[in-house]
Amino acid sequence: ILYRTSTDAIAVRTANDTRSLGGRVAQREAVRIDQTLATILNLKNVVETEGFSPTKFLDASREAMRADPMIDVVDYFDGDDRHVAHVEAGGRESLGAPTKAAGAQIPGAVINAVDLVLSESGVTRTTMSSHALRVRAPDAPPGSAGRLFVYVAQPIVSHLDVVGTIVARIDAQRLLADDLAVVLPVPYVLDDGSGRLQTGSPGGISSVEPNAYVQTFSI
C-alpha cells in the first residue's frame, strides 16, 4: 500500500509539474505569435493611413519582414481580390497577377488557403488565418515533409468597405516548431485544431516514443 501510494504521489506530482511547464511553454509561443501578428497589423495601419501605393507598399513590407523575420512573404490584393503586389524576404518582388508559369508552381493547398482567408476576412472585416500547411519546396526531394507555414489575411477597411487585403505568410516552422525543439526538455505537441499542426518534440511528433506521456496544447 505504501509503495502504491508513493508511486501514485510521484505520478501526480510529475503530471502537475509537466502541466505547469507546458502552460509556460504554451504562453511563450502565444506571445511570439502575438508579436508577429502585431507586425502585420502595423503594416496594415501604414497602408490604411497612407493609402495603397506599389512603391510604398513594397518598402513597408520589407520593413515589416526586417522587423519580424518570421514573416517571409507579403502579398496585396485589391478590393476585388485581384493580386496586386508580391514581396519575398529573399529579395524577389513583383507587381500584378502571377504569370501562368509562376502560378503553376504554387501548390493547390496554398491557393485554397489564401482564397479562404481572403473570403473570410472580407466577410468578418477582421484578421483571419489559415490552418498550418506543410509546403514542400520545388527542389525538395520526393517524400520530404515540407515546412510549416500559416497565411494571415489583414483587410484594409474604408467606410465599412474592404478596399484591399494584406496576406502575409508566417514561417510557423521557425516560429513554433524550431523554437519548441530548443526550449522543451520533454515532448509536447501544439495543435491548431486542424490536425495538421502537431509539432513540438525534436524531429516532430513521430520521434515521440510509443506510450510516452505527451501533452497537447491548443494555440
Side-chain angles (χ1 to χ4, degrees):
I1 293 173
L2 180 61
Y3 172 77
R4 287 199 302 269
T5 302
S6 175
T7 301
D8 290 345
I10 292 174
V12 170
R13 187 168 65 247
T14 300
N16 288 338
D17 290 346
T18 306
R19 277 194 294 272
S20 176
L21 175 60
R24 293 196 299 271
V25 171
Q27 179 63 28
R28 168 192 172 96
E29 301 310 321
V31 169
R32 288 166 58 82
I33 292 171
D34 284 345
Q35 290 172 339
T36 297
L37 292 178
T39 302
I40 300 174
L41 180 60
N42 288 338
L43 175 59
K44 169 196 171 176
N45 292 338
V46 170
V47 177
E48 279 190 337
T49 301
E50 302 181 3
F52 176 79
S53 161
T55 302
K56 289 182 179 180
F57 179 76
L58 296 179
D59 291 342
S61 296
R62 295 212 174 279
E63 180 62 31
M65 289 186 280
R66 282 192 294 269
D68 193 327
M70 303 305 167
I71 304 169
D72 64 351
V73 175
V74 179
D75 290 271
Y76 189 82
F77 295 80
D78 66 13
D80 295 320
D81 291 346
R82 291 175 298 196
H83 190 264
V84 175
H86 175 83
V87 194
E88 297 180 10
R92 192 167 74 91
E93 59 187 40
S94 62
L95 298 175
T99 63
K100 290 185 178 180
Q105 297 178 357
I106 303 174
V110 170
I111 295 175
N112 291 338
V114 172
D115 283 344
L116 182 60
V117 294
L118 273 173
S119 175
E120 290 181 340
S121 66
V123 172
T124 64
R125 308 301 201 259
T126 59
T127 304
M128 300 301 298
S129 66
S130 72
H131 290 308
L133 300 176
R134 285 201 176 273
V135 180
R136 193 172 64 191
D139 56 349
S144 59
R147 295 181 62 80
L148 284 167
F149 294 101
V150 171
Y151 290 84
V152 174
Q154 191 70 262
I156 308 299
V157 180
S158 176
H159 303 294
L160 301 180
D161 291 327
V162 176
V163 297
T165 306
I166 296 170
V167 177
R169 188 177 81 170
I170 298 175
D171 189 342
Q173 186 74 37
R174 284 195 296 164
L175 180 65
L176 299 175
D178 294 350
D179 184 64
L180 286 167
V182 171
V183 303
L184 294 181
V186 291
Y188 285 86
V189 173
L190 290 185
D191 181 17
D192 70 344
S194 69
R196 296 189 183 96
L197 174 56
Q198 289 191 345
T199 185
S201 58
I205 191 172
S206 60
S207 68
V208 179
E209 296 180 3
N211 302 320
Y213 182 67
V214 181
Q215 289 196 44
T216 300
F217 292 92
S218 298
I219 57 171

